[in-house]
């Protein structure tokens, strides 16, 4: 079940600010990736229209998320705990800095997808910090999973 200990951060934000989130898994029965790839038709009218049949599942990603205000120095951070279906966790803290996030995204590795998404959010929006604790994943992550960092589906 969910972790019972209160979430803490270096900013000392109260856990009462946390939001529970559930992202269901999906099964693509037909047309893998056509749900997002159809957007390419805007720039290339020669692409034929695709179809997709997707079913949601009751398995998925369970997390608690909350805002972390910028520090006195003006810096913001993205703190992530990511768990897989076997309960193994990995965690990182990323500085919300466009140059640093882009470098991590381009370098590849487990957190590159998370850094790339954070980079896009940062350059297009005014943001503070965020803590995401993916405390439980009961969705089997198999071949074809879009990222080894499922937390960013949130």
């Amino acid at each position: 079940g969910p972790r019972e200990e209160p979430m803490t951060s270096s900013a000392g934000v109260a856990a009462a600010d946390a939001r529970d989130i559930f992202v269901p898994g999906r099964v693509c029965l037909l047309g893998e990736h056509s749900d997002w790839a159809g957007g390419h038709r805007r720039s290339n009218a020669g692409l034929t229209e695709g179809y997709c049949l997707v079913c949601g599942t009751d398995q998925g990603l369970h997390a608690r998320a909350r805002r972390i205000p910028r520090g006195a120095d003006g810096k913001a951070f993205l703190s992530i705990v990511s768990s897989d279906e076997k309960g193994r966790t990995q965690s990182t803290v990323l500085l919300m800095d466009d140059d640093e996030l882009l470098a991590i995204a381009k370098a590849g590795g487990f957190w590159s997808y998370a850094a790339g998404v954070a980079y896009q959010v940062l350059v297009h929006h005014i943001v503070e910090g965020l803590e995401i604790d993916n405390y439980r994943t009961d969705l089997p992550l198999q071949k074809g999973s879009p990222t080894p960092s499922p937390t960013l589906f949130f």
Side-chain angles (χ1 to χ4, degrees):
R3 293 186 180 150
E4 297 301 322
E5 66 270 10
M7 295 175 64
T8 60
S9 74
S10 58
V13 176
D17 295 338
R19 301 283 187 257
D20 288 322
I21 301 168
F22 173 71
V23 179
R26 70 178 189 177
V27 177
C28 293
L29 301 176
L30 174 73
E32 185 70 23
H33 300 295
S34 62
D35 53 341
W36 63 267
H40 293 291
R41 294 183 72 232
R42 286 188 296 259
S43 60
N44 183 351
L47 294 174
T48 59
E49 185 175 336
Y51 297 94
C52 185
L53 179 58
V54 177
C55 300
T57 71
D58 62 353
Q59 296 173 313
L61 310 174
H62 305 260
R64 212 168 273 127
R66 67 187 170 89
R67 180 181 65 90
I68 302 174
R70 290 181 177 272
D73 58 3
K75 293 181 180 177
F77 295 90
L78 172 60
S79 173
I80 305 170
V81 176
S82 181
S83 68
D84 67 15
E85 74 277 13
K86 294 181 180 169
R88 298 174 297 208
T89 62
Q90 293 190 53
S91 62
T92 191
V93 176
L94 305 172
L95 175 63
M96 292 297 284
D97 172 81
D98 55 353
D99 292 332
E100 185 169 326
L101 291 170
L102 188 57
I104 294 168
K106 287 182 174 182
F110 187 82
W111 297 109
S112 63
Y113 184 81
V117 171
Y119 170 81
Q120 290 296 324
V121 170
L122 180 64
V123 298
H124 295 303
H125 304 281
I126 298 171
V127 297
E128 293 198 22
L130 180 65
E131 180 177 77
I132 302 172
D133 180 6
N134 169 214
Y135 59 82
R136 189 177 90 209
T137 298
D138 57 10
L139 177 70
L141 300 176
Q142 302 295 324
K143 180 180 175 186
S145 294
T147 174
S149 181
T151 301
L152 266 292
F153 287 116
F154 293 108

